[in-house]
């Protein structure tokens, strides 16, 4: 099994900063859209063993690197918040296209 | 759940070309090492739904794009085959470091 360590690192970051990202919707779909967008903009760090994720995470203890991840996360949170595609929101916004990609 | 469509696309490619990649070892660990290395060198394409993977895969029907993925796969297969880190191989090769990263 291979796993991208950035998935766990970004999920932890989203959980930590969720309340401060001024999200217009916090439903599961919007949070997943934020995660997918963020991970698409982040260099992957695949490992072959979940135990190795912590070594990758240790690289980001460096504050500047973690800040850079947080900036990406905040940018993607804004994209999704400006144009949420979940069922709660999509009916309200006319001409909303069904993808961020 | 978010998933990197490239994981499935690369796995399919590895399954298809495995016998032609001149691998020195085809144990599970070596195959996973090849996958992890390859995915680290490939732009991620995260989607929020497994059904969307086929849309991403359709992008690679273009032969040049698929060839470019195959070149990356072959390069990574060579790196792992030249210096396998599995239990079968690691004892034979003196000074083998325990990582490709």
């Amino acid at each position: 099994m291979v796993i991208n360590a950035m998935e766990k690192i970004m999920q932890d970051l989203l959980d930590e900063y969720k309340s401060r990202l001024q999200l217009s919707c916090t439903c599961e779909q919007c949070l997943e859209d934020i995660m997918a967008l963020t991970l698409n903009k982040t260099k992957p760090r695949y490992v072959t063993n979940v135990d190795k994720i912590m070594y990758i995470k240790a690289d980001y203890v460096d504050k500047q690197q973690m800040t850079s991840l947080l900036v990406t996360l905040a940018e993607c949170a804004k994209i999704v918040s400006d144009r949420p595609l979940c069922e709660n929101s999509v009916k309200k916004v006319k001409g909303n296209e069904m993808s961020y990609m």
Side-chain angles (χ1 to χ4, degrees), chain A:
Chain A
M1 189 207 60
V2 296
I3 182 167
N4 182 4
M6 301 314 294
E7 287 181 27
K8 166 88 176 112
I9 293 170
M10 279 299 190
Q11 187 63 60
D12 289 351
L13 211 57
L14 179 58
D15 291 345
E16 190 180 342
Y17 286 91
K18 196 163 60 181
S19 59
R20 281 175 273 177
L21 287 171
Q22 300 177 299
L23 304 177
S24 63
C25 178
T26 55
C27 77
E28 198 184 339
Q29 193 190 327
C30 282
L31 294 179
E32 286 190 351
D33 281 341
I34 294 170
M35 278 294 290
L37 261 184
T38 307
L39 289 166
N40 282 339
K41 289 171 189 263
T42 307
K43 194 171 159 38
R45 300 287 300 268
Y46 275 87
V47 291
T48 52
N49 184 320
V50 286
D51 300 336
K52 292 179 191 159
I53 292 178
M54 65 176 180
Y55 295 108
I56 306 289
K57 197 164 183 178
D59 282 353
Y60 291 89
V61 170
D62 167 8
K63 252 197 150 169
Q64 192 162 3
Q65 289 234 55
M66 194 55 101
T67 305
S68 145
L69 294 186
L70 190 54
V71 167
T72 306
L73 182 67
E75 282 170 358
C76 296
K78 187 175 184 319
I79 292 170
V80 175
S81 281
D82 285 352
R83 203 160 60 93
L85 299 183
C86 63
E87 282 189 2
N88 311 329
S89 318
V90 77
K91 292 168 200 154
K92 296 184 225 157
V93 186
K94 209 178 153 190
N96 215 344
E97 285 171 38
M98 291 304 284
S99 169
Y100 300 107
M101 311 307 168

